[in-house]
Amino acid sequence: MKELSLNILDITENSVKAKATLVEIAIEENDDILTIAVTDNGIGMTEQTLLSVTNPFYTTRTTRKVGLGIPLLKFAAEQTGGGIEIVSKHVYKYPKEHGTRIFAKFFKKHIDFTPLGDVISSIVTLVQGHPDVDFVFKHTHPQKNLSVLFDTREVREVLEGIPLDSFEILTWIKDNLTEQYAQGQ
Amino acid sequence: MKSLAELQAIKEKMKSKIVLREGSGEIRVVVGMATCGIAAGARPVLNAFVEEVNNAGLYDKVTVTQTGCVGLCQLEPIVEVYEAGKEKVTYVKMTSDKVKEVVEKHLKNGNIVTEYTVASVN
Ligand SMILES: Nc1ncnc2c1ncn2[C@@H]1O[C@H](COP(=O)(O)OP(=O)(O)O)[C@@H](O)[C@H]1O
Ligand SMILES: [Mg+2]
């Protein structure tokens, strides 16, 4: 992937596919490190799935074909000296508090660090594709005075039933995020 | 600041419009957003469709949606156009530049842009 924001989009699509109703995307940065955490309340992974997504050698002949999304994120993180961690609680074992958290850590000064890119575009794309799912987006970089916070639940409350994927609303979301980014420096 | 107060104002303006928009979606544009699609550039293609469909005033007629279904990696970004009573049209290796043309020629005027379809690649 050319931008980490594309990995974020792809990883969050997994959450939506896992029937999450709420997904939190949190980016925390300082001058040296960037971390991404995607946390959802979806159905979670079984222990077997968890093993197969974190360990590429785990695949047995009976396992279905492995996906690309998580390995790509893992590769992007590891090539900077960082890595990923996945915690998941499957609905069978945890009927009440199921969900998945994928955490990735990147060293920004490493030559193989992939830039974050257009994260606003990824958020707008997620809302366009999944207007009924709630997304919380946070991006902080204290040294740059950056503290972006966006929550579709607040938007939904104001809209009283108007779909979030309406063009006017998507434009408002894009403008809102653009202005929040402009306030940092 | 694009505040929630501003959002409130947009909502009030839209309330009347929404009624008019019901019964829409004669044409469905589906953009493939699985990993390969995203890596190949599906995000700008999707957003270009959303924007161009709106600019062309086609929001009553055209719905733009996403699918997570895995397409063919070498042909991504892939876009399918469904229209009642017509055969599905599959556009491959899409870019945002091509989107403008597809919206104008195909979605607006009903002429398939053959050179971008999967048929012309094979
Ligand atoms: N957030 C999640 N919740 C539940 N299962 C997940 C989640 N993310 C990934 N998975 C599981 O891990 C698998 C591999 O994910 P990924 O590497 O993105 O490939 P793909 O999405 O193409 O299958 C998924 O098919 C799914 O079974
Ligand atoms: Mg995936």
Side-chain angles (χ1 to χ4, degrees):
Chain A
M1 301 265 183
K2 284 195 210 90
E3 304 175 359
L4 292 181
S5 64
L6 294 173
N7 294 96
I8 292 175
L9 173 59
D10 184 47
I11 290 298
T12 309
E13 292 290 350
N14 287 341
S15 300
V16 175
K17 233 185 278 172
K19 300 189 171 66
T21 56
L22 178 65
V23 190
E24 185 191 279
I25 299 162
I27 304 171
E28 286 179 18
E29 267 188 273
N30 59 36
D31 290 338
D32 299 309
I33 291 169
L34 183 148
T35 65
I36 298 168
V38 178
T39 310
D40 69 56
N41 64 355
I43 60 168
M45 300 184 212
T46 60
E47 272 153 37
Q48 185 166 0
T49 303
L50 189 55
L51 272 172
S52 72
V53 296
T54 45
N55 179 1
F57 303 108
Y58 176 79
T59 338
T60 65
R61 250 167 271 132
T62 51
T63 330
R64 47 158 196 76
K65 99 181 159 49
V66 286
L68 264 182
I70 293 174
L72 282 175
L73 178 72
K74 188 171 183 231
F75 180 72
E78 285 178 353
Q79 70 176 356
T80 70
I84 69 168
E85 280 167 31
I86 306 177
V87 180
S88 192
K89 291 182 176 172
H90 194 262
V91 63
Y92 283 154
K93 239 182 165 177
Y94 302 89
K96 283 198 178 127
E97 41 168 31
H98 50 86
T100 301
R101 175 182 168 88
I102 300 194
F103 174 85
K105 181 176 179 178
F106 302 83
F107 287 94
K108 292 164 69 176
K109 284 176 180 155
H110 196 286
I111 186 155
D112 290 321
F113 174 69
T114 313
L116 184 58
D118 189 357
V119 71
I120 296 176
S121 186
S122 287
I123 303 301
V124 171
T125 301
L126 285 165
V127 175
Q128 197 277 337
H130 316 288
D132 298 327
V133 175
D134 277 313
F135 297 99
V136 176
F137 174 63
K138 296 173 181 168
H139 185 172
T140 57
H141 190 323
Q143 283 110 325
K144 285 191 174 169
N145 268 325
L146 184 73
S147 176
V148 174
L149 174 60
F150 173 72
D151 188 334
T152 56
R153 289 172 299 186
E154 286 179 10
V155 175
R156 213 178 289 286
E157 203 180 306
V158 172
L159 288 183
E160 294 174 321
I162 289 178
L164 268 67
D165 58 349
S166 318
F167 185 75
E168 292 85 340
I169 307 307
L170 294 173
T171 304
W172 179 86
I173 293 171
K174 184 178 166 187
D175 292 349
N176 173 282
L177 285 169
T178 306
E179 290 198 5
Q180 289 199 51
Y181 272 100
Q183 285 182 349
Q185 39 78 37
Chain B
M1 181 71 188
K2 298 282 168 186
S3 62
L4 288 175
E6 194 166 338
L7 185 64
Q8 182 81 33
I10 295 172
K11 181 197 82 177
E12 299 302 336
K13 243 193 267 169
M14 283 180 70
K15 266 186 174 167
S16 49
K17 256 164 100 188
I18 280 289
V19 183
L20 295 175
R21 280 187 191 182
E22 267 168 30
S24 66
E26 288 163 57
I27 301 179
R28 207 155 54 87
V29 173
V30 182
V31 182
M33 298 290 292
T35 304
C36 265
I38 292 173
R43 187 184 67 186
V45 166
L46 184 270
N47 288 315
F49 266 112
V50 171
E51 194 148 336
E52 293 300 335
V53 162
N54 187 75
N55 290 349
L58 294 171
Y59 36 76
D60 285 333
K61 193 172 144 192
V62 180
T63 332
V64 182
T65 58
Q66 306 177 20
T67 176
C69 285
V70 183
L72 259 176
C73 232
Q74 315 90 283
L75 298 179
E76 302 281 355
I78 297 176
V79 175
E80 296 173 324
V81 180
Y82 296 88
E83 195 171 354
K86 292 188 183 168
E87 231 176 279
K88 173 182 84 174
V89 178
T90 305
Y91 290 108
V92 298
K93 298 184 181 174
M94 285 298 285
T95 62
S96 18
D97 287 339
K98 291 179 181 176
V99 168
K100 210 174 170 140
E101 212 178 322
V102 169
V103 170
E104 190 61 30
K105 291 185 179 161
H106 184 171
L107 305 185
K108 200 167 179 186
N109 298 315
N111 303 313
I112 297 166
V113 190
T114 324
E115 62 262 47
Y116 302 155
T117 60
V118 69
S120 70
V121 168
N122 287 343

